Amino acid sequence: MRDRIVIKWGGGLITDKSLMCTPNLEVLNDLASTVAACVENGFEVILVHGAGSFGHLRSKKWRLNEGYIEGMKRPDDSDCTSQLDAVHRVRSEMLELNQHVCEALESCQLIPHVHPPHTWATNTGPDFSGSLEGFESNSAGTVHVTFGDVVSVEGEKQFGILSGDDLVARIAVELPRVQRLVFAIGGVDGLLRVPPKEATDEDLIERWSPDVAFEGIHESEIDVTGGIGLKASRGALVASHDVDVIMVNGGIRERVMAAMLGEPVRGTIITKKQ
Ligand code: IPE
């Protein structure tokens, strides 16, 4: 029985966040090669990816994170007709991004097994519902893949955004033999003591627990989920179940590789509340 590594590829890392539905294919190919190397090293990898410009912009415009809003007016420059239309569009755009992810994996001879959350998960947040059974089987070369998505929500809300950060948290805690959870993020080396624009190399927090303050940009004009703060808090939740958790700069292949294999690397190790 092989040990498992769960990795989250942040949406800001694998897409150009300012341009609607634009993947970063170079980064995707680099990241896929790290998954292949881990599989060659005898690990099972479960991959969860974010949305970046494939999910956040349209979801934000149509306030999909707030659920159904009776009588919501069509935003000025929207090409959707209603919130429900936007729900379908975001789901299909997420499948489109996932297709790029799968192509990158396949080019490394891996076999992706995709589980789109809107087909098996309901409700949002760390206690969302849905069986993780589908992620358990594994034959050599298969990589289970899922992603942040618009899912059904019980009651008046009808739908909401399930973040990949909530998916990794449940997967890392509930599946057996998970050794490590790695967050590969875009543009920063980990959690920082000062805002990213002002940070020097010394401002990286190398070991973080929820009682330590940090500064992270949360682009609330763009993001419908919780930005780096959500990753930190879900990371701490996972760490409290004795799974190693680390956040690294996903734009640097060697760091992602080392983090996945558990080797010392520049990044932020996340621990439970002290
Ligand atoms: C967001 O998922 C999903 C949608 C907006 C549809 P994540 O929360 O995992 O995405 P990133 O990593 O912040 O882009």
Side-chain angles (χ1 to χ4, degrees), residues 154-258:
E154 281 164 29
E156 285 174 7
K157 278 193 149 188
Q158 299 183 35
F159 50 80
I161 307 284
L162 176 60
S163 171
D165 299 333
D166 288 317
L167 285 156
V168 285
R170 268 197 62 199
I171 290 170
V173 168
E174 293 178 30
L175 285 194
R177 303 187 316 281
V178 174
Q179 217 175 69
R180 250 180 311 285
L181 165 61
V182 177
F183 288 100
I185 53 176
V188 278
D189 288 353
L191 293 176
L192 305 173
R193 285 187 195 89
V194 298
K197 276 205 179 108
E198 296 162 25
T200 64
D201 277 358
E202 281 77 63
D203 294 312
L204 176 72
I205 302 172
E206 290 179 338
R207 233 184 140 74
W208 181 85
S209 66
D211 19 37
V212 176
F214 71 93
E215 285 280 347
I217 30 165
H218 179 202
E219 296 167 299
S220 46
E221 334 68 69
I222 301 180
D223 274 4
V224 285
T225 50
I228 203 163
L230 184 64
K231 295 176 206 324
S233 101
R234 295 301 177 261
L237 173 80
V238 172
S240 72
H241 287 80
D242 293 326
V243 173
D244 293 341
V245 183
I246 184 160
M247 197 180 274
V248 287
N249 188 330
I252 303 173
R253 186 190 176 278
E254 296 68 34
R255 291 194 193 164
V256 178
M257 191 71 259

Side-chain angles (χ1 to χ4, degrees), residues 8-12 17 49-52 54-56 59 90 94 147-150 161-165 223-227 230-231:
K8 164 86 194 284
W9 294 351
K17 240 178 150 176
H49 65 82
F54 282 76
H56 287 283
S59 300
V90 172
M94 284 309 297
F147 47 84
D149 201 2
V150 190
I161 307 284
L162 176 60
S163 171
D165 299 333
D223 274 4
V224 285
T225 50
L230 184 64
K231 295 176 206 324

